[in-house]
Amino acid sequence: MRRVIVDCAIYRNGRRTEGPADFSDALAEARATGDAFLWVGMYEPTEKEFEHVRTEFGLHPLAVEDALTAHQRPKLEVYDDSLFVVLKPVLYDDHTDIVTSGELMVFIGDSFVVTVRHGEGAALAAVRRRLEHEPNVLKHGPTAVLYAVSDAVVDHYIDVAAELQADLEELEAEVFAPNASDTKNTASRIYAFKRQVLEFRRATSPLLQPMNRLAFGNVPFVHEHAQPFFRDVADHLTKANEYVEGLDRLLSDALAAHLAQMGVRQNDDMRKISAWAAMAAVPTMVAGIYGMNFEHMPELGWGLGYPGVVLVMAGACLGLHRMFKRRGWL
């Protein structure tokens, strides 16, 4: 259990206190005093490792199954003895341009908080340290932990959205560059970017409903005076969702513009090919006519016939070249 339990502490009046090493005894102590709560942080526990936690805290089997299985949508579930919240923190790697999402499950009870983390994008050490330096917030109990965790996750959404926006501006500059090349690679980059935005949206969009329930509804195990704080989180989440929707629309527009540019370039290429083919057709036709084996053909007996025909072919080609050039085909 030491491997999966990242941290375990009792908080009384907003301050961390020393308690029993065994979390079962620590939970009993927190419940006995009435003014304290226990916060247990876990990282990717197995079913066997989590069984003792489930028994001691009385967690619902369905919530436990979701916490162990992971790959859940953000949601909020209310059970008889606890509140279960699923969050999906995200990370964005600037070097690979890949968005990765972790999972963070939070169990809230009368005097306990259990957090279960999956993946590398949901570290809570910084959140715990910040709360421990803000006893006025932490003294509100498990609700304060849920608010701080949600606020940290949603604020990071906005940071990731800003990084995606910066990369999108670079991609747009590449798409609309006057001398853009390697169009195949550009299209693949746009599609890859859209997949990252989709991964981001899977984390942000489903979370709006749970945050609105916490902000505007009467949710068990959540302090009623905490609603304004959750409304602030919901506002930030709405802003993040607007960022995501804007990114998706801009990517679709960039892809459409890129495809339109490819069509224009292909039309230009076809016009150039057609113009050169037309200029090549005139001497080919004349040479083909004079290549036929007939005795009675115009100018066969004229000494200047050959230079005259060559001059006509050159003049026709020059005239066609000037006409195509004037029309912008060449």
Side-chain angles (χ1 to χ4, degrees):
M1 294 297 291
R2 290 184 180 180
R3 183 179 66 84
V4 298
I5 295 182
V6 179
D7 201 349
C8 178
I10 297 176
Y11 295 89
R12 183 175 288 106
N13 293 323
R15 300 195 179 275
R16 183 170 182 145
T17 62
E18 295 296 331
D22 184 75
F23 69 84
S24 301
D25 298 334
L27 178 61
E29 180 179 325
R31 283 174 169 168
T33 58
D35 61 348
F37 71 95
L38 176 66
W39 183 358
V40 179
M42 308 186 72
Y43 178 71
E44 296 185 352
T46 64
E47 182 177 358
K48 182 178 180 180
E49 292 167 336
F50 200 69
E51 178 62 25
H52 188 45
V53 177
R54 183 195 69 80
T55 304
E56 291 296 330
F57 290 90
L59 304 178
H60 197 279
L62 292 178
V64 171
E65 181 181 355
D66 290 343
L68 294 175
T69 306
H71 303 293
Q72 303 294 320
R73 285 168 54 90
K75 62 180 179 179
L76 184 151
E77 299 287 348
V78 179
Y79 298 101
D80 294 337
D81 299 323
S82 63
L83 177 71
F84 179 60
V85 180
V86 178
L87 305 169
K88 290 183 74 69
V90 296
L91 289 175
Y92 182 63
D93 190 339
D94 289 329
H95 301 291
T96 60
D97 296 337
I98 294 178
V99 174
T100 57
S101 61
E103 292 195 34
L104 179 60
M105 287 75 172
V106 184
F107 294 89
I108 301 293
D110 54 351
S111 56
F112 68 86
V113 178
V114 178
T115 55
V116 181
R117 181 165 62 94
H118 293 269
E120 299 300 326
L124 295 179
V127 177
R128 190 186 285 260
R129 285 195 301 268
R130 179 166 61 85
L131 281 175
E132 290 176 352
H133 286 85
E134 297 178 356
N136 291 333
V137 177
L138 195 55
K139 70 180 182 180
H140 291 92
T143 301
V145 176
L146 178 60
Y147 160 71
V149 171
S150 303
D151 185 58
V153 170
V154 172
D155 283 348
H156 193 61
Y157 285 164
I158 297 178
D159 295 337
V160 172
E163 294 179 2
L164 288 171
Q165 179 68 35
D167 288 345
L168 176 59
E169 290 174 358
E170 295 179 3
L171 186 58
E172 286 179 327
E174 178 182 331
V175 170
F176 295 104
N179 296 322
S181 60
D182 198 5
T183 56
K184 183 178 180 180
N185 185 53
T186 300
S188 64
R189 286 188 60 194
I190 295 175
Y191 275 113
F193 208 127
K194 284 183 72 69
R195 290 187 64 85
Q196 304 314 311
V197 172
L198 177 61
E199 181 69 20
F200 192 18
R201 171 174 281 177
R202 288 172 179 167
T204 61
S205 296
L207 185 59
L208 187 58
Q209 183 179 4
M211 285 297 110
N212 285 333
R213 287 182 62 185
L214 292 170
F216 301 103
N218 185 16
V219 181
F221 306 104
V222 176
H223 199 283
E224 58 182 2
H225 297 300
Q227 288 185 353
F229 298 94
F230 284 109
R231 281 200 292 270
D232 181 67
V233 176
D235 289 341
H236 290 176
L237 180 59
T238 300
K239 182 179 179 180
N241 280 321
E242 290 174 351
Y243 266 124
V244 174
E245 292 175 2
L247 288 171
D248 188 63
R249 286 197 299 269
L250 287 173
L251 280 170
S252 298
D253 293 342
L255 180 60
H258 175 66
L259 295 177
Q261 286 181 333
M262 290 182 63
V264 171
R265 293 193 189 102
Q266 289 176 350
N267 288 336
D268 290 340
D269 294 340
M270 288 302 299
R271 287 191 299 182
K272 291 179 181 179
I273 294 172
S274 300
W276 287 109
M279 287 188 290
V282 172
T284 301
M285 179 187 67
V286 175
I289 292 174
Y290 276 88
M292 293 186 293
N293 296 321
F294 291 101
E295 293 184 5
H296 304 289
M297 293 184 67
E299 314 303 340
L300 287 180
W302 185 35
L304 298 178
Y306 175 74
V309 171
V310 172
L311 184 61
V312 169
M313 290 190 293
C317 291
L318 181 61
L320 288 173
H321 186 275
R322 293 186 62 183
M323 181 184 69
F324 291 138
K325 193 76 171 179
R326 192 165 49 247
R327 292 183 178 182
W329 285 36
L330 294 175

